[in-house]
Every structure is written in structure tokens, then in C-alpha cells.
Amino acid sequence: LPSQERFYPHQELVADVVGYVNQENDGQAGIELSQQNLLERLRQLVDGEESNASAAEFKKIQQEWKTTGAVPPAQSQELWANYNALVERFYSNRSIYFELKELDRKKNLELKNEICDKAEKLAAQEISGAVVRELNELHEEFRHIGPVPREDQDAVWQRFKAASDVMYARRKEQMDGLREQMEQHAAVKRQLCEEVEPYAQFQSDKITEWNEKTKQVLDIQKRWDAVGQLPRDKAKEINKRFWAAFKQFFHHKNEFFRQLESQREENLRQKTALCEQ
């Protein structure tokens, strides 16, 4: 029989061609798989929740898609159709996202303007602790409302801040006046301390004198109670000074009447004994 080489002189060339074709098919299959993976990533991006990172991921997928290479026309047409459809959906979703985001910002602006209205009404009221607490609550509410349109951001904050500044300035003025008034109270109560302290050393064996001094001490206490609040940093020292003298006086008074009652009991005992005799 004739040799194979005689009848197939180009079999090595044929083998090379077949190998090349297989490599090319393998490469195209890899490209197709890569594009399928990109489509899946794009599909997840489109179906997922829109975020600030979405645009960056989308651009990354586009860049990778451009560098994957070509695939056979039969597969290419379907892949490109799917790719373009997902791209359109992404842009559509993103347009809706920004529209909703803009609507949300406008709603936030309305809410912040409502808070400004409340703050301005508070600023017209008489300053009190309750009004200041309400303003602080408005600040907390304002802070937790989301962003507003960029062009309105500074204006709405300045409006709210202006109303707040008016209130805080009035509150400071009120507190400064109250502090000055409390300093005056402190001076008055120190004077009352000086008045009551001599009574802490009073001693007598006469009921009439004790009753007279008691009336005077209670009059000082009445004037003490009529004086308003003291500064926090001075109240303890002044109160302690006054009440120490006040209590000392009544301690001595009670001791006098205790001894007096004891003496009376002794007198009764002695007189009873004399009656018996």
C-alpha cells in the first residue's frame, strides 16, 4: 500500500490550521464569557439601589467591555443588544434617581423653612427656660433633616441661625441681668447673716427676753425668705452661715426652757413634800 505521506503531503499544515482555529474559538469563548460576566455585573448594578458609587462602577464596566474584544456575529448581536438595553435602563434609573433626590431635597427645604418659621415665632416670645428648650429641640430637628438644594443651603441656614441668635442674645442679656440681681441678693443675705449671728450667743434667765429675741430672729428669717435666689457658687456658703446662727439661737432657747421646766418640776416636788409635812 502507498504511504500516507504520499497521499497527504500537507497534513502538518492542516493540523496547524486546525489548532489555530481551536485557539481562536477558545479565545472567542473566553471573550464571550467575559462579556457575560460584565452583563451580569451591569444587571446587578441596574437592579440594585442607586448610590454615589454606582456611576464609578458603571464607568468601570463600560471600560472593561470596550477592551474585551470581538466575538462571532451570532453571539455578538445578542450580547450587544443585552448590553445596550442594560445601559439604557441604567441611565433611565439614574435619571429617576436624581429626580427623586432633587424632590427629596426640595421637601427637606420645605421642612427646614417650617422650622425657621417656628424659630422666628419663638424669637418674638418672652424668653424663658421652656422657650430655650424648644429652640434647642428645633436645632436637633434641623440637624437631622437631610440636605437641601445646594443653591438654598446657605440661605436657609442663615435664616435659622438669625432667629436663633436673636433668642440666644436675649437669653444672655436675661441671664446677665439675673446674675447681677442674684449678686445683689447675696449682698442682702450677707447683711442678714451679720444681723442674726449675735443672737447665736444670746443667753438670759428671763422668759420675756427670750420671747422678745425670738420675735426679732423670726423677723430676720421673714426678711431672709423674701430675698430671691443666690448665685450657685455662693449659695451654699451663705445659707450655711445664716442657718447655723439661727439654729444655735433656738438650741440655746430650747435648753433654757428645758432647764426651766426641770426647775419647775423640782419646785413642784419640794412644795408637794411641804404640803405632806
Side-chain angles (χ1 to χ4, degrees), residues 44-94:
Q44 292 177 2
L45 184 66
V46 171
D47 293 338
E49 185 176 351
E50 182 69 33
S51 68
N52 293 332
S54 299
E57 176 64 13
F58 178 70
K59 290 180 180 179
K60 183 178 179 182
I61 292 173
Q62 281 185 311
Q63 188 61 35
E64 292 181 24
W65 180 273
K66 291 178 182 179
T67 59
T68 53
V71 297
Q75 288 82 11
S76 175
Q77 185 174 359
E78 182 180 357
L79 289 170
W80 272 100
N82 291 335
Y83 175 75
N84 288 327
L86 290 171
V87 169
E88 287 296 325
R89 281 183 57 195
F90 175 82
Y91 282 125
S92 177
N93 290 350
R94 193 155 181 83

Side-chain angles (χ1 to χ4, degrees), residues 12 74 130 165 185 219 249 258 262:
E12 293 182 359
D165 287 346
H185 294 166
D219 179 69
F249 168 80
R258 187 187 66 77
S262 178

Side-chain angles (χ1 to χ4, degrees), residues 2-268:
S3 67
Q4 286 185 329
E5 286 81 357
R6 184 176 179 182
F7 290 94
Y8 303 101
H10 305 295
Q11 64 178 7
E12 293 182 359
L13 178 60
V14 171
D16 291 341
V17 171
V18 171
Y20 173 78
V21 171
N22 288 337
Q23 290 179 2
E24 185 176 15
N25 289 337
D26 290 342
Q28 290 177 341
I31 293 171
E32 182 180 356
L33 180 61
S34 177
Q35 290 185 346
Q36 289 288 4
N37 290 335
L38 289 172
L39 286 175
E40 181 60 27
R41 283 170 56 191
L42 183 56
R43 187 175 291 106
Q44 292 177 2
L45 184 66
V46 171
D47 293 338
E49 185 176 351
E50 182 69 33
S51 68
N52 293 332
S54 299
E57 176 64 13
F58 178 70
K59 290 180 180 179
K60 183 178 179 182
I61 292 173
Q62 281 185 311
Q63 188 61 35
E64 292 181 24
W65 180 273
K66 291 178 182 179
T67 59
T68 53
V71 297
Q75 288 82 11
S76 175
Q77 185 174 359
E78 182 180 357
L79 289 170
W80 272 100
N82 291 335
Y83 175 75
N84 288 327
L86 290 171
V87 169
E88 287 296 325
R89 281 183 57 195
F90 175 82
Y91 282 125
S92 177
N93 290 350
R94 193 155 181 83
S95 176
I96 294 172
Y97 165 75
F98 279 110
E99 288 178 5
L100 292 175
K101 193 171 183 179
E102 187 62 24
L103 288 174
D104 190 50
R105 289 175 182 268
K106 289 180 179 179
K107 182 62 178 177
N108 291 342
L109 178 61
E110 292 178 7
L111 294 174
K112 288 191 173 182
N113 277 323
E114 290 176 5
I115 291 177
C116 290
D117 292 338
K118 294 178 181 179
E120 288 165 353
K121 290 178 181 178
L122 283 178
Q125 295 181 20
E126 183 178 352
I127 297 298
S128 66
V131 170
V132 173
R133 284 192 297 273
E134 189 173 349
L135 177 64
N136 291 337
E137 290 172 2
L138 290 178
H139 269 271
E140 192 69 14
E141 187 178 349
F142 190 95
R143 187 169 66 88
H144 282 90
I145 295 176
V148 302
R150 190 179 301 276
E151 62 274 15
D152 299 306
Q153 182 175 349
D154 186 62
V156 71
W157 165 246
Q158 290 300 328
R159 181 187 173 192
F160 183 56
K161 182 177 181 297
S164 301
D165 287 346
V166 169
M167 286 195 61
Y168 288 134
R170 290 175 58 198
R171 180 62 169 174
K172 183 179 182 302
E173 181 180 354
Q174 182 189 60
M175 294 304 296
D176 289 343
L178 182 59
R179 192 173 293 107
E180 181 180 354
Q181 189 178 44
M182 287 192 293
E183 290 292 344
Q184 294 173 358
H185 294 166
V188 172
K189 285 197 169 185
R190 284 197 180 97
Q191 179 61 40
L192 293 174
C193 287
E194 293 177 2
E195 288 186 34
V196 79
E197 282 171 343
Y199 290 88
Q201 309 303 323
F202 176 77
Q203 294 289 348
S204 176
D205 57 357
K206 296 180 180 179
I207 296 176
T208 55
E209 290 183 358
W210 277 109
N211 289 339
E212 181 64 25
K213 295 299 181 183
T214 299
K215 181 179 178 181
Q216 294 172 8
V217 169
L218 292 177
D219 179 69
I220 295 173
Q221 182 195 15
K222 186 177 180 180
R223 285 186 285 142
W224 171 277
D225 292 338
V227 180
Q229 291 182 325
L230 295 173
R232 188 185 300 263
D233 59 336
K234 300 175 182 176
K236 184 176 180 180
E237 173 262 323
I238 295 175
N239 285 328
K240 182 178 179 180
R241 179 182 173 186
F242 178 84
W243 292 111
F246 184 89
K247 291 177 181 178
Q248 186 69 17
F249 168 80
F250 281 100
H251 172 73
H252 289 162
K253 178 183 177 181
N254 291 338
E255 184 65 20
F256 165 76
F257 278 99
R258 187 187 66 77
Q259 292 177 3
L260 181 62
E261 188 63 24
S262 178
Q263 183 62 47
R264 285 173 172 174
E265 291 290 339
E266 177 62 20
N267 293 342
L268 176 63

